[in-house]
Amino acid sequence: MGSDRSARYPDGGDTGTDRAPRDGGGRADTGVGRRGFLRAGVLAAAGLAFGRPLLGESAADVVRMVGARGPDDEMTDAVREVLKAKFGDRRIQTGHVQLDIPTDAPDGRAVPTILDIDLPITPNSYVATYHLLVDHNPDIYLAAYHLTAGSGEGPIETRIKMRRTGYVRAIAEMNTGELWSAAVKVFVGLNGCG
Amino acid sequence: MPSMHHDSSRDAPTLTFTMPAGAPSSVGEAKILLPLSVARDAVIDVRALLVHPMDTGFFRDAEGNPIPAYFVNAVTVTYGGEQVARFEWTSGISRDPFVRFPLRASREAQVQVVWKDNKGGVYQQAVDVKFA
C-alpha cells in the first residue's frame, strides 16, 4: 500500500516545514531586517500551503491522494511489517474495496464494519479473502474472511474493537492474486481493547 | 510525526465489562438467520450470532485480577456438507460476535456454522435453506 509512496517521501510527512529557512525566526543574531523577516515568513507559509504533493505530482495523483485516502494515511512501521509478513513484496493497489465504517466511533468496543467490493464477481473472479487491519490495536491483523466461489460476492459485516483513533484497513485478495485496499480513519472515544 | 501523537490509551481508566440486564448470558448460545424467502440461485445474506465474551486479556475485573484472553479464533461455514467460508478471528472482534456473509443458494441444503475458541470450546448451529 505505501511502498511506492514511502519511496518518494522517505520521511513520511508532507508538512513542508523543512523548506522553511532555519534562521527565519532568529532575527537578532542574523541581522535580517523587519521587511526580510516578514518575507521569510510569507515564503514559509507558502511552503506549508503548497507543499511537495502539488509540486511533484500529476493532477491525477493529487485527486487520488485527496480523494479516497487523504494525503497521508499515517501508516506505521508496525503495520508495514505486518503487511510485509502477510503479502511479501506483492503490490497492494488502492480502490475497488468499500470499507463502510463510521468515521466517529464513541464506543471502541463495537464498531460496525462492512466490507464490499465493486468488481464484477464471476465463478472465475471472486474475493478469496478479506483482510482487516487496525493500526493501533494490540493485534494489528484483526481478522481474515476466507470465501469461495459460492460465497465470494456481496458484503461481509462484522463488529470490531478499536483501542484508539487511527486507520482501519481492508484488503481484498482476489482468487487471481490481485490485492485491493481501502483505509478509513476512525475517531474513537472509548478504548475497546484494554 | 509519530512522536507528536498523544497516546490516549495510557490515561484511559480501567474498564470492566458488565452485561446489560436481560441479555442472554450463557456462552455458546448461537443463532443463524436466513431471509424469509429464498429463491433458487439467489445470493442471500446469512447472519450468524454467538454469545461469547471475547475477552482480550488486557482488562481486569472489579477486584483487579486480570481477565484471561478467551475468544473465538476460527469459524467455518458449510453448505450441504461443503465448506463455503472460513473466518480467522482474534480478540479484536467485539463480544457476542456477529457476522453477515453472502451465500449463493444453489440447492436446498443445510447451512452449518461452527465456532471454535482458544480454550477448546466448540459451538455450532445449523439451519435449512428451503426455496419458497
Side-chain angles (χ1 to χ4, degrees):
Chain A
M1 192 165 344
S3 58
D4 52 338
R5 276 174 55 77
S6 57
R8 270 180 282 160
Y9 308 126
D11 57 353
D14 295 337
T15 57
T17 43
D18 50 343
R19 306 191 141 211
R22 291 282 175 216
D23 53 353
R27 195 180 153 199
D29 21 11
T30 55
V32 179
R34 176 183 166 81
R35 189 58 57 185
F37 175 67
L38 287 177
R39 195 173 291 138
V42 169
L43 282 174
L48 279 170
F50 306 105
R52 269 168 293 175
L54 291 181
L55 294 176
E57 304 287 344
S58 73
D61 278 347
V62 172
V63 169
R64 179 177 56 76
M65 284 191 297
V66 300
R69 287 195 304 164
D72 180 5
D73 69 359
E74 300 169 17
M75 186 182 286
T76 62
D77 288 346
V79 176
R80 285 202 184 88
E81 275 170 31
V82 169
L83 291 177
K84 185 94 175 166
K86 206 77 194 171
F87 303 111
D89 291 326
R90 291 164 68 187
R91 184 161 165 247
I92 302 174
Q93 303 173 83
T94 304
H96 289 306
V97 179
Q98 285 180 34
L99 175 57
D100 289 344
I101 189 167
T103 54
D104 199 349
D107 188 346
R109 294 179 295 187
V111 185
T113 308
I114 303 178
L115 306 167
D116 204 351
I117 191 131
D118 65 2
L119 290 170
I121 298 299
T122 66
N124 298 319
S125 169
Y126 58 89
V127 179
T129 306
Y130 284 110
H131 305 269
L132 196 53
L133 292 85
V134 182
D135 278 17
H136 295 301
N137 272 16
D139 270 339
I140 292 172
Y141 189 84
L142 194 142
Y145 294 85
H146 302 283
L147 304 172
T148 58
S151 61
E153 48 193 304
I156 290 276
E157 179 177 352
T158 189
R159 292 172 197 149
I160 65 170
K161 294 174 193 166
M162 290 188 69
R163 173 186 266 189
R164 62 178 171 94
T165 296
Y167 273 86
V168 176
R169 300 169 196 283
I171 299 175
E173 184 174 5
M174 308 297 288
N175 64 322
T176 54
E178 282 177 8
L179 297 169
W180 295 99
S181 72
V184 173
K185 188 168 192 175
V186 179
F187 290 83
V188 174
L190 180 65
N191 170 7
C193 290
Chain B
M1 290 175 286
S3 61
M4 287 183 67
H5 278 292
H6 176 64
D7 190 354
S8 59
S9 65
R10 224 174 248 196
D11 40 29
T14 304
L15 294 164
T16 52
F17 282 122
T18 48
M19 280 296 253
S25 57
S26 60
V27 173
E29 268 180 41
K31 286 180 197 167
I32 301 178
L33 182 66
L34 295 180
L36 288 176
S37 68
V38 180
R40 183 179 293 275
D41 280 335
V43 176
I44 58 172
D45 277 340
V46 183
R47 293 165 170 83
L49 180 76
L50 174 73
V51 175
H52 199 284
M54 299 296 279
D55 289 322
T56 59
F58 301 111
F59 285 102
R60 290 169 183 273
D61 64 16
E63 283 78 47
N65 307 309
I67 302 171
Y70 181 37
F71 57 92
V72 173
N73 53 15
V75 185
T76 52
V77 182
T78 55
Y79 179 43
E82 181 189 345
Q83 181 173 307
V84 290
R86 180 170 64 85
F87 310 141
E88 293 172 42
W89 286 354
T90 63
S91 60
I93 300 287
S94 301
R95 74 171 303 147
D96 299 344
F98 164 82
V99 62
R100 170 165 68 100
F101 57 91
L103 180 72
R104 183 170 286 280
S106 56
R107 59 195 186 279
E108 290 196 328
Q110 191 181 56
V111 176
Q112 187 186 43
V113 182
V114 179
W115 294 263
K116 292 179 182 171
D117 68 31
N118 65 332
K119 290 186 178 175
V122 180
Y123 319 100
Q124 65 173 44
Q125 185 60 274
V127 65
D128 288 322
V129 174
K130 286 199 172 71
F131 297 138

